[in-house]
Every structure is written in structure tokens, then in C-alpha cells.
Amino acid sequence: MYLPSPDRYSVMPYRRTGRSGLLLPALSLGLWHNFGGDRTPETQGAILRRAFDLGITHFDLANNYGPPPGSAEETLGRALATDFAGLRDELVISTKAGYHMWEGPYGEWGSRKYLRSSLDQSLKRLGVEYVDIFYSHRPDPDTPLEETMGALDSAVRQGKALYVGLSNYSAAQTREAAAILKDLGTPLLIHQPRYSMLDRRIEDDGLPDVLDELGVGSIAYSPLEQGILTDRYLDGIPAGSRAAGASPFLSADAVTPQLVERLRALDALAKERGQSLAQLALAWVLRGGRLTSAVVGASSVTQLENSVEAARNLDFTEDELSRIEELLRGAKAA
């Protein structure tokens, strides 16, 4: 029988989500890649238990996470019924809908029919009465934004979600969506954009400024850029890595000699700080406290523990930030 660590809240920093009352851990566990049917239940359970023992109270999912789609929610559902039985009120569980989930015209995007059907299916797979955060996973160019936001509002009013969020929306779309939700009486809680040292498009778009203005929280996904910002690629593309395979999320073309050179320079700076490259990358995303949290994945307990170590040193000197900025400008130019 699993007994949570009595010290689980003593190390992980928690940050307020926008102007809400909800606190999230600086690092949240994402169940995107490693919690489907292609991984062993023993490893998955060990990662979930260790995450909670380290103060990670937030588990981030979507309807299509797996593989196959839906299996990550089923994995967490089994853990909620066993290891985490009686601990639901200590957990923040989020899920999303927006990408393709089932065949036919009602199985993706942002219609009220799809979002409400998807949430009902997610609740069944998770075995819970509600999720803490329900996201629109991507904007739908063909559905009125009022309909999509109205579906999120309905989820809260029905007691199926406590809060609502957006993911992959631009700054302008976020501003418009937040205004609709405010009028409906369900404030926008959080935005989940892709953000890392190597992907700073949200800065160019002005999304962080809009979120600050609106009092909306933020949680970055892919802060390690699909593994590029780890020690795996310091000597090029290793066999068995995502870049070496047929992953749709990372191609070999992305790992250029120029990028590897800059990764090595960042790794050297990380070592000066007593961190790994991955820990440096996570700390950089969380620098200054502007973001609420960052979503990390884990294929092993050791990998998870290494990521959590980043939370021990989130401060940077001006010199460190300047050196990093110079390296990142070079990477962008390359």
C-alpha cells in the first residue's frame, strides 16, 4: 500500500495561478508520451507516486494522450482508484480537448458537441466526477469563439470542471476569449503555450504581456524542446532518440551542428551553476516567477527526480542571463 511522503510539501515551490486562489507546483507532470499502453504499468505507477512525494500535485493530460489516445487518462484513472485513493483533494487534474479523438465530423476542434462529449469521456476514463482544469486545446478557425468558450463555461456550471484554460491560442485570440468568458461569469484561469529556450514565439506575439494584463496564469509545455535541451544531443543525434526515429515532434534536421555547439555552451554554463542542461532550461523558463508552472515529462523515476532538482535553483544573475541571451540569439539566427 502506497503511503505518501510526509515531507511532500517541503521542497517544491508553489505559485499562484494568475489572480485566482489556485496554487500550482513550479513543475507539473505531463502524461503526454509515457503513460499509454506502450509502457509498463509498474514504471508508470512508480513515476506518479514519486512525483507526488516530490510535491508535484498537478497532473496534466489531454483526451488524446497515450498512445493510443485516451490511454493516459485511463492510466491515471487506475492510479486514482488505487495509489491515490483518498487523495483526490490534494491533486490538480487537468485535461484538454481540441485535437482529433474519434472519427466523423464531431471528433475534433471546438464545437460545443465535441468539447462536452470529450469531457464526459475523459471523466469516465479518469474515474472522477470533475477535473480541476478543462482546456480548449487549440483554436477552431471555423467555429465561433463564443460557442467554444460557452462550452467551457457550461463545463464549470455543470460541475464537471472547476476552472477553464486555453492552449495554443495567440495573444489576440486569448484576449478575445478571456473577454467572452468574463462576460459569461467563468474567468479564464490559465494558458498553456509551447515555450522553451529554443521556442520563444510567445514573446514575439506578446502573449506573456497579455496574460499579465488579464491576470491569467501560464504553464509552459515542451520546456525541454522534446529532449533537445538535455544532455542527449550534446554529441549529435544518438541512436534511439526521438530525432533518430520517426517522431512527428522532432526531426533530425532540427539538430544542426550549430545548435549542438550552442547546446554545449549552455551545458557548460549549467555546470557552473551546479545544474544539468535540462535543469538550466527548466529554471530559465521559470525565471522571475512570471510563469506559473512548467510541464515536464518523465520516462523514469530518475529522469523525474533530475527535473525536480531544477526547482532548487531558479535564480539567475544578470551576467548569466546575458550570456544565455547571447547564445540563444545565435541559435535563433542559425
PDB file of all heavy atoms in Angstrom, residues 35-73:
ATOM      1  N   PHE A  35       2.658   7.483 -20.728  1.00  0.00           N
ATOM      2  CA  PHE A  35       1.659   6.869 -19.869  1.00  0.00           C
ATOM      3  C   PHE A  35       0.566   6.157 -20.657  1.00  0.00           C
ATOM      4  O   PHE A  35      -0.548   5.967 -20.176  1.00  0.00           O
ATOM      5  CB  PHE A  35       1.065   7.920 -18.930  1.00  0.00           C
ATOM      6  CG  PHE A  35       2.073   8.393 -17.911  1.00  0.00           C
ATOM      7  CD1 PHE A  35       2.954   9.422 -18.217  1.00  0.00           C
ATOM      8  CD2 PHE A  35       2.163   7.781 -16.677  1.00  0.00           C
ATOM      9  CE1 PHE A  35       3.908   9.849 -17.293  1.00  0.00           C
ATOM     10  CE2 PHE A  35       3.113   8.196 -15.752  1.00  0.00           C
ATOM     11  CZ  PHE A  35       3.982   9.227 -16.058  1.00  0.00           C
ATOM     12  N   GLY A  36       0.918   5.729 -21.865  1.00  0.00           N
ATOM     13  CA  GLY A  36      -0.007   4.976 -22.689  1.00  0.00           C
ATOM     14  C   GLY A  36       0.202   3.479 -22.555  1.00  0.00           C
ATOM     15  O   GLY A  36       0.917   2.991 -21.680  1.00  0.00           O
ATOM     16  N   GLY A  37      -0.417   2.755 -23.478  1.00  0.00           N
ATOM     17  CA  GLY A  37      -0.363   1.301 -23.427  1.00  0.00           C
ATOM     18  C   GLY A  37       0.959   0.703 -23.831  1.00  0.00           C
ATOM     19  O   GLY A  37       1.154  -0.509 -23.706  1.00  0.00           O
ATOM     20  N   ASP A  38       1.901   1.539 -24.307  1.00  0.00           N
ATOM     21  CA  ASP A  38       3.193   1.020 -24.742  1.00  0.00           C
ATOM     22  C   ASP A  38       4.232   1.039 -23.622  1.00  0.00           C
ATOM     23  O   ASP A  38       5.387   0.702 -23.850  1.00  0.00           O
ATOM     24  CB  ASP A  38       3.714   1.826 -25.935  1.00  0.00           C
ATOM     25  CG  ASP A  38       3.884   3.307 -25.626  1.00  0.00           C
ATOM     26  OD1 ASP A  38       3.255   3.785 -24.663  1.00  0.00           O
ATOM     27  OD2 ASP A  38       4.633   3.987 -26.357  1.00  0.00           O
ATOM     28  N   ARG A  39       3.847   1.430 -22.403  1.00  0.00           N
ATOM     29  CA  ARG A  39       4.764   1.460 -21.270  1.00  0.00           C
ATOM     30  C   ARG A  39       4.238   0.561 -20.158  1.00  0.00           C
ATOM     31  O   ARG A  39       3.039   0.297 -20.066  1.00  0.00           O
ATOM     32  CB  ARG A  39       4.930   2.899 -20.732  1.00  0.00           C
ATOM     33  CG  ARG A  39       5.378   3.906 -21.791  1.00  0.00           C
ATOM     34  CD  ARG A  39       6.741   3.575 -22.373  1.00  0.00           C
ATOM     35  NE  ARG A  39       7.099   4.415 -23.496  1.00  0.00           N
ATOM     36  CZ  ARG A  39       7.962   5.412 -23.437  1.00  0.00           C
ATOM     37  NH1 ARG A  39       8.566   5.701 -22.295  1.00  0.00           N
ATOM     38  NH2 ARG A  39       8.229   6.124 -24.513  1.00  0.00           N
ATOM     39  N   THR A  40       5.133   0.089 -19.298  1.00  0.00           N
ATOM     40  CA  THR A  40       4.721  -0.849 -18.264  1.00  0.00           C
ATOM     41  C   THR A  40       3.982  -0.125 -17.139  1.00  0.00           C
ATOM     42  O   THR A  40       4.384   0.972 -16.719  1.00  0.00           O
ATOM     43  CB  THR A  40       5.934  -1.573 -17.658  1.00  0.00           C
ATOM     44  OG1 THR A  40       6.754  -0.630 -16.957  1.00  0.00           O
ATOM     45  CG2 THR A  40       6.754  -2.255 -18.751  1.00  0.00           C
ATOM     46  N   PRO A  41       2.911  -0.708 -16.622  1.00  0.00           N
ATOM     47  CA  PRO A  41       2.174  -0.085 -15.511  1.00  0.00           C
ATOM     48  C   PRO A  41       3.047   0.124 -14.282  1.00  0.00           C
ATOM     49  O   PRO A  41       2.846   1.094 -13.540  1.00  0.00           O
ATOM     50  CB  PRO A  41       1.049  -1.087 -15.242  1.00  0.00           C
ATOM     51  CG  PRO A  41       0.884  -1.846 -16.516  1.00  0.00           C
ATOM     52  CD  PRO A  41       2.260  -1.931 -17.104  1.00  0.00           C
ATOM     53  N   GLU A  42       4.007  -0.763 -14.072  1.00  0.00           N
ATOM     54  CA  GLU A  42       4.876  -0.636 -12.897  1.00  0.00           C
ATOM     55  C   GLU A  42       5.689   0.657 -12.955  1.00  0.00           C
ATOM     56  O   GLU A  42       5.798   1.385 -11.956  1.00  0.00           O
ATOM     57  CB  GLU A  42       5.805  -1.842 -12.794  1.00  0.00           C
ATOM     58  CG  GLU A  42       5.107  -3.150 -12.479  1.00  0.00           C
ATOM     59  CD  GLU A  42       4.399  -3.763 -13.685  1.00  0.00           C
ATOM     60  OE1 GLU A  42       4.688  -3.324 -14.819  1.00  0.00           O
ATOM     61  OE2 GLU A  42       3.570  -4.679 -13.482  1.00  0.00           O
ATOM     62  N   THR A  43       6.283   0.934 -14.126  1.00  0.00           N
ATOM     63  CA  THR A  43       7.066   2.165 -14.276  1.00  0.00           C
ATOM     64  C   THR A  43       6.176   3.392 -14.177  1.00  0.00           C
ATOM     65  O   THR A  43       6.528   4.390 -13.525  1.00  0.00           O
ATOM     66  CB  THR A  43       7.804   2.162 -15.622  1.00  0.00           C
ATOM     67  OG1 THR A  43       8.708   1.052 -15.660  1.00  0.00           O
ATOM     68  CG2 THR A  43       8.577   3.458 -15.820  1.00  0.00           C
ATOM     69  N   GLN A  44       5.022   3.341 -14.816  1.00  0.00           N
ATOM     70  CA  GLN A  44       4.102   4.472 -14.767  1.00  0.00           C
ATOM     71  C   GLN A  44       3.671   4.771 -13.334  1.00  0.00           C
ATOM     72  O   GLN A  44       3.663   5.922 -12.894  1.00  0.00           O
ATOM     73  CB  GLN A  44       2.879   4.176 -15.642  1.00  0.00           C
ATOM     74  CG  GLN A  44       3.201   4.098 -17.118  1.00  0.00           C
ATOM     75  CD  GLN A  44       2.045   3.556 -17.935  1.00  0.00           C
ATOM     76  OE1 GLN A  44       1.137   2.894 -17.407  1.00  0.00           O
ATOM     77  NE2 GLN A  44       2.046   3.817 -19.234  1.00  0.00           N
ATOM     78  N   GLY A  45       3.319   3.731 -12.593  1.00  0.00           N
ATOM     79  CA  GLY A  45       2.904   3.926 -11.205  1.00  0.00           C
ATOM     80  C   GLY A  45       4.015   4.477 -10.352  1.00  0.00           C
ATOM     81  O   GLY A  45       3.785   5.353  -9.494  1.00  0.00           O
ATOM     82  N   ALA A  46       5.236   3.988 -10.572  1.00  0.00           N
ATOM     83  CA  ALA A  46       6.375   4.468  -9.793  1.00  0.00           C
ATOM     84  C   ALA A  46       6.626   5.956 -10.049  1.00  0.00           C
ATOM     85  O   ALA A  46       6.940   6.715  -9.121  1.00  0.00           O
ATOM     86  CB  ALA A  46       7.620   3.657 -10.133  1.00  0.00           C
ATOM     87  N   ILE A  47       6.481   6.392 -11.300  1.00  0.00           N
ATOM     88  CA  ILE A  47       6.688   7.800 -11.636  1.00  0.00           C
ATOM     89  C   ILE A  47       5.620   8.666 -10.977  1.00  0.00           C
ATOM     90  O   ILE A  47       5.918   9.714 -10.385  1.00  0.00           O
ATOM     91  CB  ILE A  47       6.680   8.006 -13.162  1.00  0.00           C
ATOM     92  CG1 ILE A  47       7.879   7.315 -13.801  1.00  0.00           C
ATOM     93  CG2 ILE A  47       6.676   9.492 -13.509  1.00  0.00           C
ATOM     94  CD1 ILE A  47       7.827   7.273 -15.319  1.00  0.00           C
ATOM     95  N   LEU A  48       4.359   8.250 -11.048  1.00  0.00           N
ATOM     96  CA  LEU A  48       3.274   9.024 -10.450  1.00  0.00           C
ATOM     97  C   LEU A  48       3.442   9.149  -8.937  1.00  0.00           C
ATOM     98  O   LEU A  48       3.280  10.230  -8.364  1.00  0.00           O
ATOM     99  CB  LEU A  48       1.930   8.384 -10.784  1.00  0.00           C
ATOM    100  CG  LEU A  48       1.496   8.466 -12.252  1.00  0.00           C
ATOM    101  CD1 LEU A  48       0.281   7.568 -12.489  1.00  0.00           C
ATOM    102  CD2 LEU A  48       1.173   9.898 -12.641  1.00  0.00           C
ATOM    103  N   ARG A  49       3.785   8.047  -8.300  1.00  0.00           N
ATOM    104  CA  ARG A  49       3.963   8.083  -6.840  1.00  0.00           C
ATOM    105  C   ARG A  49       5.137   8.973  -6.447  1.00  0.00           C
ATOM    106  O   ARG A  49       5.048   9.765  -5.501  1.00  0.00           O
ATOM    107  CB  ARG A  49       4.162   6.663  -6.301  1.00  0.00           C
ATOM    108  CG  ARG A  49       2.926   5.780  -6.397  1.00  0.00           C
ATOM    109  CD  ARG A  49       3.129   4.472  -5.650  1.00  0.00           C
ATOM    110  NE  ARG A  49       4.179   3.646  -6.226  1.00  0.00           N
ATOM    111  CZ  ARG A  49       3.999   2.732  -7.171  1.00  0.00           C
ATOM    112  NH1 ARG A  49       2.782   2.540  -7.682  1.00  0.00           N
ATOM    113  NH2 ARG A  49       5.006   2.012  -7.623  1.00  0.00           N
ATOM    114  N   ARG A  50       6.240   8.850  -7.177  1.00  0.00           N
ATOM    115  CA  ARG A  50       7.417   9.659  -6.848  1.00  0.00           C
ATOM    116  C   ARG A  50       7.132  11.138  -7.099  1.00  0.00           C
ATOM    117  O   ARG A  50       7.587  12.006  -6.340  1.00  0.00           O
ATOM    118  CB  ARG A  50       8.620   9.191  -7.669  1.00  0.00           C
ATOM    119  CG  ARG A  50       9.922   9.887  -7.303  1.00  0.00           C
ATOM    120  CD  ARG A  50      10.283   9.678  -5.856  1.00  0.00           C
ATOM    121  NE  ARG A  50      11.566  10.276  -5.506  1.00  0.00           N
ATOM    122  CZ  ARG A  50      11.846  10.789  -4.320  1.00  0.00           C
ATOM    123  NH1 ARG A  50      10.936  10.770  -3.349  1.00  0.00           N
ATOM    124  NH2 ARG A  50      13.040  11.306  -4.076  1.00  0.00           N
ATOM    125  N   ALA A  51       6.393  11.430  -8.156  1.00  0.00           N
ATOM    126  CA  ALA A  51       6.040  12.821  -8.433  1.00  0.00           C
ATOM    127  C   ALA A  51       5.285  13.426  -7.256  1.00  0.00           C
ATOM    128  O   ALA A  51       5.598  14.540  -6.799  1.00  0.00           O
ATOM    129  CB  ALA A  51       5.200  12.904  -9.704  1.00  0.00           C
ATOM    130  N   PHE A  52       4.308  12.703  -6.740  1.00  0.00           N
ATOM    131  CA  PHE A  52       3.530  13.220  -5.613  1.00  0.00           C
ATOM    132  C   PHE A  52       4.399  13.371  -4.376  1.00  0.00           C
ATOM    133  O   PHE A  52       4.291  14.363  -3.640  1.00  0.00           O
ATOM    134  CB  PHE A  52       2.349  12.297  -5.349  1.00  0.00           C
ATOM    135  CG  PHE A  52       1.354  12.856  -4.366  1.00  0.00           C
ATOM    136  CD1 PHE A  52       0.711  14.058  -4.616  1.00  0.00           C
ATOM    137  CD2 PHE A  52       1.064  12.175  -3.200  1.00  0.00           C
ATOM    138  CE1 PHE A  52      -0.221  14.580  -3.711  1.00  0.00           C
ATOM    139  CE2 PHE A  52       0.149  12.686  -2.290  1.00  0.00           C
ATOM    140  CZ  PHE A  52      -0.498  13.891  -2.546  1.00  0.00           C
ATOM    141  N   ASP A  53       5.278  12.414  -4.151  1.00  0.00           N
ATOM    142  CA  ASP A  53       6.183  12.505  -2.997  1.00  0.00           C
ATOM    143  C   ASP A  53       7.103  13.719  -3.099  1.00  0.00           C
ATOM    144  O   ASP A  53       7.571  14.239  -2.077  1.00  0.00           O
ATOM    145  CB  ASP A  53       7.036  11.240  -2.888  1.00  0.00           C
ATOM    146  CG  ASP A  53       6.265  10.064  -2.309  1.00  0.00           C
ATOM    147  OD1 ASP A  53       5.185  10.284  -1.718  1.00  0.00           O
ATOM    148  OD2 ASP A  53       6.737   8.919  -2.457  1.00  0.00           O
ATOM    149  N   LEU A  54       7.385  14.175  -4.325  1.00  0.00           N
ATOM    150  CA  LEU A  54       8.258  15.333  -4.533  1.00  0.00           C
ATOM    151  C   LEU A  54       7.480  16.641  -4.581  1.00  0.00           C
ATOM    152  O   LEU A  54       8.053  17.688  -4.888  1.00  0.00           O
ATOM    153  CB  LEU A  54       9.057  15.154  -5.823  1.00  0.00           C
ATOM    154  CG  LEU A  54      10.113  14.042  -5.800  1.00  0.00           C
ATOM    155  CD1 LEU A  54      10.673  13.797  -7.194  1.00  0.00           C
ATOM    156  CD2 LEU A  54      11.235  14.385  -4.825  1.00  0.00           C
ATOM    157  N   GLY A  55       6.196  16.584  -4.287  1.00  0.00           N
ATOM    158  CA  GLY A  55       5.394  17.796  -4.242  1.00  0.00           C
ATOM    159  C   GLY A  55       4.714  18.171  -5.532  1.00  0.00           C
ATOM    160  O   GLY A  55       4.120  19.251  -5.634  1.00  0.00           O
ATOM    161  N   ILE A  56       4.769  17.316  -6.546  1.00  0.00           N
ATOM    162  CA  ILE A  56       4.062  17.577  -7.797  1.00  0.00           C
ATOM    163  C   ILE A  56       2.605  17.160  -7.596  1.00  0.00           C
ATOM    164  O   ILE A  56       2.277  15.974  -7.616  1.00  0.00           O
ATOM    165  CB  ILE A  56       4.698  16.825  -8.977  1.00  0.00           C
ATOM    166  CG1 ILE A  56       6.110  17.358  -9.229  1.00  0.00           C
ATOM    167  CG2 ILE A  56       3.846  16.988 -10.237  1.00  0.00           C
ATOM    168  CD1 ILE A  56       6.840  16.673 -10.369  1.00  0.00           C
ATOM    169  N   THR A  57       1.769  18.140  -7.424  1.00  0.00           N
ATOM    170  CA  THR A  57       0.352  17.888  -7.178  1.00  0.00           C
ATOM    171  C   THR A  57      -0.493  18.012  -8.434  1.00  0.00           C
ATOM    172  O   THR A  57      -1.688  17.721  -8.410  1.00  0.00           O
ATOM    173  CB  THR A  57      -0.177  18.896  -6.147  1.00  0.00           C
ATOM    174  OG1 THR A  57       0.138  20.229  -6.610  1.00  0.00           O
ATOM    175  CG2 THR A  57       0.471  18.671  -4.785  1.00  0.00           C
ATOM    176  N   HIS A  58       0.113  18.460  -9.529  1.00  0.00           N
ATOM    177  CA  HIS A  58      -0.633  18.722 -10.758  1.00  0.00           C
ATOM    178  C   HIS A  58      -0.247  17.714 -11.835  1.00  0.00           C
ATOM    179  O   HIS A  58       0.926  17.632 -12.232  1.00  0.00           O
ATOM    180  CB  HIS A  58      -0.346  20.140 -11.251  1.00  0.00           C
ATOM    181  CG  HIS A  58      -1.020  20.475 -12.539  1.00  0.00           C
ATOM    182  ND1 HIS A  58      -0.492  21.372 -13.438  1.00  0.00           N
ATOM    183  CD2 HIS A  58      -2.174  20.026 -13.108  1.00  0.00           C
ATOM    184  CE1 HIS A  58      -1.284  21.481 -14.482  1.00  0.00           C
ATOM    185  NE2 HIS A  58      -2.309  20.668 -14.313  1.00  0.00           N
ATOM    186  N   PHE A  59      -1.230  16.959 -12.320  1.00  0.00           N
ATOM    187  CA  PHE A  59      -1.050  16.010 -13.419  1.00  0.00           C
ATOM    188  C   PHE A  59      -1.795  16.559 -14.631  1.00  0.00           C
ATOM    189  O   PHE A  59      -3.012  16.781 -14.589  1.00  0.00           O
ATOM    190  CB  PHE A  59      -1.590  14.626 -13.049  1.00  0.00           C
ATOM    191  CG  PHE A  59      -0.856  13.975 -11.900  1.00  0.00           C
ATOM    192  CD1 PHE A  59      -1.529  13.135 -11.023  1.00  0.00           C
ATOM    193  CD2 PHE A  59       0.495  14.194 -11.688  1.00  0.00           C
ATOM    194  CE1 PHE A  59      -0.866  12.528  -9.965  1.00  0.00           C
ATOM    195  CE2 PHE A  59       1.169  13.597 -10.636  1.00  0.00           C
ATOM    196  CZ  PHE A  59       0.490  12.759  -9.765  1.00  0.00           C
ATOM    197  N   ASP A  60      -1.061  16.769 -15.719  1.00  0.00           N
ATOM    198  CA  ASP A  60      -1.589  17.414 -16.921  1.00  0.00           C
ATOM    199  C   ASP A  60      -1.818  16.387 -18.024  1.00  0.00           C
ATOM    200  O   ASP A  60      -0.894  15.659 -18.407  1.00  0.00           O
ATOM    201  CB  ASP A  60      -0.614  18.488 -17.409  1.00  0.00           C
ATOM    202  CG  ASP A  60      -1.114  19.188 -18.650  1.00  0.00           C
ATOM    203  OD1 ASP A  60      -2.021  20.023 -18.529  1.00  0.00           O
ATOM    204  OD2 ASP A  60      -0.600  18.897 -19.746  1.00  0.00           O
ATOM    205  N   LEU A  61      -3.045  16.341 -18.545  1.00  0.00           N
ATOM    206  CA  LEU A  61      -3.407  15.386 -19.591  1.00  0.00           C
ATOM    207  C   LEU A  61      -4.162  16.072 -20.716  1.00  0.00           C
ATOM    208  O   LEU A  61      -4.454  17.260 -20.667  1.00  0.00           O
ATOM    209  CB  LEU A  61      -4.294  14.269 -19.020  1.00  0.00           C
ATOM    210  CG  LEU A  61      -3.737  13.426 -17.893  1.00  0.00           C
ATOM    211  CD1 LEU A  61      -4.412  13.797 -16.583  1.00  0.00           C
ATOM    212  CD2 LEU A  61      -3.919  11.939 -18.179  1.00  0.00           C
ATOM    213  N   ALA A  62      -4.493  15.282 -21.736  1.00  0.00           N
ATOM    214  CA  ALA A  62      -5.448  15.664 -22.771  1.00  0.00           C
ATOM    215  C   ALA A  62      -6.167  14.391 -23.194  1.00  0.00           C
ATOM    216  O   ALA A  62      -5.687  13.276 -22.941  1.00  0.00           O
ATOM    217  CB  ALA A  62      -4.751  16.307 -23.968  1.00  0.00           C
ATOM    218  N   ASN A  63      -7.302  14.555 -23.856  1.00  0.00           N
ATOM    219  CA  ASN A  63      -8.080  13.380 -24.255  1.00  0.00           C
ATOM    220  C   ASN A  63      -7.291  12.437 -25.151  1.00  0.00           C
ATOM    221  O   ASN A  63      -7.466  11.217 -25.092  1.00  0.00           O
ATOM    222  CB  ASN A  63      -9.379  13.810 -24.944  1.00  0.00           C
ATOM    223  CG  ASN A  63      -9.153  14.702 -26.162  1.00  0.00           C
ATOM    224  OD1 ASN A  63      -8.035  15.104 -26.477  1.00  0.00           O
ATOM    225  ND2 ASN A  63     -10.235  15.031 -26.854  1.00  0.00           N
ATOM    226  N   ASN A  64      -6.384  12.983 -25.977  1.00  0.00           N
ATOM    227  CA  ASN A  64      -5.693  12.156 -26.974  1.00  0.00           C
ATOM    228  C   ASN A  64      -4.315  11.679 -26.522  1.00  0.00           C
ATOM    229  O   ASN A  64      -3.570  11.098 -27.306  1.00  0.00           O
ATOM    230  CB  ASN A  64      -5.549  12.920 -28.290  1.00  0.00           C
ATOM    231  CG  ASN A  64      -4.731  14.205 -28.156  1.00  0.00           C
ATOM    232  OD1 ASN A  64      -4.590  14.730 -27.061  1.00  0.00           O
ATOM    233  ND2 ASN A  64      -4.206  14.689 -29.264  1.00  0.00           N
ATOM    234  N   TYR A  65      -3.935  11.904 -25.258  1.00  0.00           N
ATOM    235  CA  TYR A  65      -2.621  11.460 -24.807  1.00  0.00           C
ATOM    236  C   TYR A  65      -2.601   9.947 -24.663  1.00  0.00           C
ATOM    237  O   TYR A  65      -3.563   9.322 -24.229  1.00  0.00           O
ATOM    238  CB  TYR A  65      -2.252  12.105 -23.465  1.00  0.00           C
ATOM    239  CG  TYR A  65      -1.896  13.571 -23.545  1.00  0.00           C
ATOM    240  CD1 TYR A  65      -1.558  14.281 -22.402  1.00  0.00           C
ATOM    241  CD2 TYR A  65      -1.880  14.260 -24.760  1.00  0.00           C
ATOM    242  CE1 TYR A  65      -1.221  15.630 -22.452  1.00  0.00           C
ATOM    243  CE2 TYR A  65      -1.550  15.604 -24.815  1.00  0.00           C
ATOM    244  CZ  TYR A  65      -1.224  16.283 -23.663  1.00  0.00           C
ATOM    245  OH  TYR A  65      -0.893  17.616 -23.714  1.00  0.00           O
ATOM    246  N   GLY A  66      -1.458   9.365 -24.990  1.00  0.00           N
ATOM    247  CA  GLY A  66      -1.278   7.928 -24.939  1.00  0.00           C
ATOM    248  C   GLY A  66       0.151   7.577 -25.303  1.00  0.00           C
ATOM    249  O   GLY A  66       1.064   8.064 -24.645  1.00  0.00           O
ATOM    250  N   PRO A  67       0.328   6.780 -26.332  1.00  0.00           N
ATOM    251  CA  PRO A  67      -0.675   6.172 -27.211  1.00  0.00           C
ATOM    252  C   PRO A  67      -1.247   4.873 -26.641  1.00  0.00           C
ATOM    253  O   PRO A  67      -0.593   4.285 -25.783  1.00  0.00           O
ATOM    254  CB  PRO A  67       0.141   5.898 -28.494  1.00  0.00           C
ATOM    255  CG  PRO A  67       1.538   5.635 -27.987  1.00  0.00           C
ATOM    256  CD  PRO A  67       1.709   6.525 -26.789  1.00  0.00           C
ATOM    257  N   PRO A  68      -2.397   4.415 -27.129  1.00  0.00           N
ATOM    258  CA  PRO A  68      -3.316   5.087 -28.038  1.00  0.00           C
ATOM    259  C   PRO A  68      -4.067   6.209 -27.336  1.00  0.00           C
ATOM    260  O   PRO A  68      -4.026   6.303 -26.108  1.00  0.00           O
ATOM    261  CB  PRO A  68      -4.262   3.966 -28.470  1.00  0.00           C
ATOM    262  CG  PRO A  68      -4.301   3.060 -27.275  1.00  0.00           C
ATOM    263  CD  PRO A  68      -2.908   3.082 -26.719  1.00  0.00           C
ATOM    264  N   PRO A  69      -4.751   7.061 -28.099  1.00  0.00           N
ATOM    265  CA  PRO A  69      -5.481   8.168 -27.488  1.00  0.00           C
ATOM    266  C   PRO A  69      -6.421   7.681 -26.381  1.00  0.00           C
ATOM    267  O   PRO A  69      -7.119   6.673 -26.535  1.00  0.00           O
ATOM    268  CB  PRO A  69      -6.272   8.758 -28.665  1.00  0.00           C
ATOM    269  CG  PRO A  69      -5.434   8.435 -29.862  1.00  0.00           C
ATOM    270  CD  PRO A  69      -4.862   7.073 -29.587  1.00  0.00           C
ATOM    271  N   GLY A  70      -6.415   8.401 -25.286  1.00  0.00           N
ATOM    272  CA  GLY A  70      -7.258   8.055 -24.152  1.00  0.00           C
ATOM    273  C   GLY A  70      -6.588   7.192 -23.114  1.00  0.00           C
ATOM    274  O   GLY A  70      -7.027   7.142 -21.961  1.00  0.00           O
ATOM    275  N   SER A  71      -5.504   6.525 -23.477  1.00  0.00           N
ATOM    276  CA  SER A  71      -4.897   5.566 -22.548  1.00  0.00           C
ATOM    277  C   SER A  71      -4.171   6.246 -21.391  1.00  0.00           C
ATOM    278  O   SER A  71      -4.073   5.680 -20.302  1.00  0.00           O
ATOM    279  CB  SER A  71      -3.951   4.623 -23.300  1.00  0.00           C
ATOM    280  OG  SER A  71      -2.939   5.331 -23.981  1.00  0.00           O
ATOM    281  N   ALA A  72      -3.668   7.463 -21.596  1.00  0.00           N
ATOM    282  CA  ALA A  72      -3.012   8.158 -20.479  1.00  0.00           C
ATOM    283  C   ALA A  72      -4.032   8.489 -19.390  1.00  0.00           C
ATOM    284  O   ALA A  72      -3.743   8.367 -18.196  1.00  0.00           O
ATOM    285  CB  ALA A  72      -2.318   9.420 -20.974  1.00  0.00           C
ATOM    286  N   GLU A  73      -5.221   8.910 -19.796  1.00  0.00           N
ATOM    287  CA  GLU A  73      -6.262   9.171 -18.807  1.00  0.00           C
ATOM    288  C   GLU A  73      -6.659   7.883 -18.091  1.00  0.00           C
ATOM    289  O   GLU A  73      -6.908   7.893 -16.873  1.00  0.00           O
ATOM    290  CB  GLU A  73      -7.479   9.810 -19.475  1.00  0.00           C
ATOM    291  CG  GLU A  73      -7.228  11.238 -19.944  1.00  0.00           C
ATOM    292  CD  GLU A  73      -8.422  11.848 -20.645  1.00  0.00           C
ATOM    293  OE1 GLU A  73      -9.182  11.100 -21.299  1.00  0.00           O
ATOM    294  OE2 GLU A  73      -8.592  13.078 -20.565  1.00  0.00           O
TER     295      GLU A  73
END
